[in-house]
C-alpha cells in the first residue's frame, strides 16, 4: 500500500503576501462587446492587463504568477477567434520577452505545445532559455493547458521513467511529474469575469488554494484589483483540515521560538 501522503500535509507559513498567485483571466470578450468592438480587441487589452499585473506582482514581492491564457477547451471557439488569439500570442511573445528578461522575470509555458505553430514554439523556447536563470518573478503561462491533461501526462511520464511505480506510487511520486512541479502550490487563485468555476485549470495544485472571484472583466484588472484580492486572502484562515485552536497553538509556539531567539 502506498503511504497515505498528501501534498498539503504540512501547514505552510501563511504570510501576508501570497507566494504564488494563479489567475484565470476571463471576460475579454464581454469587455469588447460592451464597447461594440470585436472580441480580439478585448484580448489585446487583456495583454496590457497582464503586463500591469506582472509589474504589480514584482512590486508586492509575489514570487510566482501563473496565468491561464488558452485552455485545452478553447479550441472549440470559432476558428477565426482561435487564429487571432494565436497571432496575438506570437506578437506578445515577440514584443515582451526581452522586457521580461530585463526585469528579472523567469518565463515558462505549460501545456501541450505540440498543437501550436512551430513559430510560436520557437519563440516560447527562446524566451524560456533566455530567462531561465532569472529569479525575481517566476511567470508561467498556461497555454493549451488542462488540469486533466496535466495529471494524465504526469502519470504517463512517471510510469515511463519508473515502470516499477506503476503498481505502487504516492502523491509526491506523481506530483514530481506535473507541469508546475518546481513551484509551490498556489496560495491565491483569482478569476475575473464573474464565473465561479475552475474550468480545468490547475486541478491538482488548487486543492487547498484560497479562491477569489470577481466580476471585474480581465482587461480592467490592475494593481488596485490585485490589492483587493490580496486583502481578501489576508482575511482567510488557512486550516488545511485542522481546527482554528490547533493553528492558534502552532502560532503561539512560533511566537515563543521567535521570542526566545530575540533573547
Ligand atoms: C478570456 O476571455 C480569454 C480566453 C479564454 C482566451 P474570454 O474570451 O473568455 O471572454 P468572455 O468570457 O467571452 O467575456
Ligand atoms: C477559461 O476561460 C480559460 C482561460 C481564461 C484561458 P473560458 O472563458 O474559456 O472558460 P469557460 O469555458 O467559460 O469556463
Ligand atoms: Mg470566458
Amino acid at each position: 500500500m502506498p503511504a497515505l501522503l498528501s501534498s498539503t500535509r504540512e501547514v505552510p507559513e501563511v504570510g501576508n503576501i501570497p507566494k504564488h498567485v494563479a489567475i484565470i483571466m476571463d471576460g475579454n470578450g464581454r469587455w469588447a462587446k460592451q464597447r461594440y468592438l470585436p472580441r480580439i480587441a478585448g484580448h489585446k487589452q487583456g495583454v496590457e492587463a497582464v503586463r500591469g499585473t506582472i509589474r504589480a506582482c514584482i512590486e508586492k514581492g509575489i514570487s510566482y504568477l501563473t496565468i491561464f491564457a488558452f485552455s485545452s477547451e478553447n479550441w472549440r471557439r470559432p476558428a477565426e477567434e482561435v487564429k487571432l488569439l494565436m497571432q496575438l500570442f506570437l506578437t506578445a511573445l515577440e514584443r515582451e520577452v526581452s522586457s521580461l528578461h530585463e526585469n528579472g522575470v523567469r518565463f515558462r509555458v505549460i501545456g501541450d505545445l505540440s498543437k501550436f505553430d512551430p513559430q510560436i514554439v520557437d519563440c516560447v523556447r527562446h524566451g524560456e532559455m533566455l530567462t531561465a536563470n532569472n529569479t525575481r518573478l517566476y511567470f508561467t503561462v498556461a497555454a493549451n493547458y488542462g488540469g486533466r491533461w496535466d495529471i494524465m501526462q504526469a502519470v504517463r511520464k512517471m510510469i515511463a521513467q519508473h515502470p516499477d511505480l506503476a503498481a505502487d506510487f504516492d502523491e509526491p511520486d506523481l506530483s514530481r511529474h506535473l507541469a508546475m512541479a518546481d513551484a509551490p502550490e498556489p496560495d491565491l487563485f483569482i478569476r475575473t469575469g464573474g464565473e465561479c468555476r475552475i474550468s480545468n485549470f490547475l486541478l491538482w495544485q488548487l486543492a487547498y488554494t484560497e479562491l477569489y472571484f470577481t466580476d471585474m472583466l480581465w482587461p480592467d484588472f490592475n494593481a488596485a484589483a490585485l490589492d483587493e484580492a490580496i486583502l481578501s486572502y489576508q482575511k482567510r484562515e488557512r486550516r488545511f483540515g485542522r481546527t482554528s485552536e490547533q493553528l492558534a497553538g502552532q502560532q503561539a509556539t512560533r511566537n515563543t521560538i521567535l521570542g526566545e531567539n530575540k533573547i
Side-chain angles (χ1 to χ4, degrees):
M1 274 285 286
L4 239 185
L5 286 177
S6 164
S7 46
T8 43
R9 67 194 181 284
E10 301 289 346
V11 177
E13 278 270 11
V14 181
N16 263 347
I17 293 293
K19 206 170 180 190
H20 184 173
V21 175
I23 306 182
I24 295 189
M25 315 181 290
D26 197 15
N28 294 351
R30 279 162 284 166
W31 184 93
K33 199 172 171 190
Q34 284 174 356
R35 289 162 179 77
Y36 306 99
L37 294 168
R39 291 178 61 85
I40 192 66
H43 297 313
K44 281 186 184 156
Q45 198 56 40
V47 176
E48 298 305 314
V50 172
R51 195 183 291 131
T53 304
I54 292 173
R55 203 178 310 124
C57 284
I58 292 175
E59 278 164 14
K60 286 176 213 315
I62 290 164
S63 307
Y64 295 83
L65 171 67
T66 304
I67 60 166
F68 207 4
F70 192 86
S71 76
S72 42
E73 288 70 33
N74 286 145
W75 297 108
R76 296 172 186 159
R77 293 194 175 196
E80 183 62 14
E81 180 167 348
V82 171
K83 194 181 105 193
L84 291 174
L85 275 169
M86 292 301 149
Q87 281 172 3
L88 183 62
F89 189 28
L90 184 61
T91 320
L93 282 167
E94 287 170 345
R95 281 203 194 136
E96 306 294 336
V97 161
S98 56
S99 102
L100 289 175
H101 185 46
E102 281 157 23
N103 285 290
V105 176
R106 192 198 67 168
F107 164 76
R108 268 195 67 205
V109 172
I110 55 167
D112 181 3
L113 283 186
S114 66
K115 301 277 186 303
F116 287 112
D117 191 278
Q119 219 188 332
I120 293 183
V121 181
D122 282 352
C123 256
V124 166
R125 296 301 175 226
H126 163 74
E128 289 179 334
M129 277 198 297
L130 180 72
T131 63
N133 297 320
N134 296 340
T135 54
R136 200 161 173 210
L137 174 72
Y138 291 82
F139 172 54
T140 304
V141 176
N144 192 22
Y145 177 89
R148 291 182 180 175
W149 165 84
D150 195 3
I151 294 168
M152 291 299 292
Q153 69 81 28
V155 171
R156 286 196 196 102
K157 246 192 226 162
M158 181 189 69
I159 292 174
Q161 287 178 20
H162 303 280
D164 52 304
L165 284 177
D168 186 17
F169 62 92
D170 55 25
E171 288 185 19
D173 288 328
L174 184 65
S175 62
R176 266 191 284 282
H177 297 277
L178 291 167
M180 294 288 293
D182 53 352
E185 289 169 18
D187 302 294
L188 172 62
F189 160 95
I190 299 171
R191 181 174 186 144
T192 59
E195 316 293 352
C196 296
R197 53 181 178 247
I198 303 291
S199 300
N200 198 16
F201 195 23
L202 302 159
L203 295 181
W204 177 285
Q205 298 85 344
L206 292 175
Y208 259 111
T209 302
E210 295 299 326
L211 307 180
Y212 176 86
F213 298 95
T214 169
D215 288 337
M216 181 179 275
L217 303 175
W218 175 251
D220 292 326
F221 197 83
N222 55 21
L226 181 62
D227 277 341
E228 232 174 275
I230 293 174
L231 205 65
S232 162
Y233 168 81
Q234 288 168 340
K235 289 183 192 145
R236 319 269 180 104
E237 182 181 61
R238 306 188 72 190
R239 290 192 288 275
F240 297 91
R242 289 162 174 80
T243 65
S244 277
E245 290 72 19
Q246 284 176 299
L247 295 178
Q250 274 184 1
Q251 195 49 49
T253 313
R254 272 184 197 139
N255 290 347
T256 312
I257 294 169
L258 285 175
E260 278 166 3
N261 286 347
K262 255 188 229 155
I263 297 166

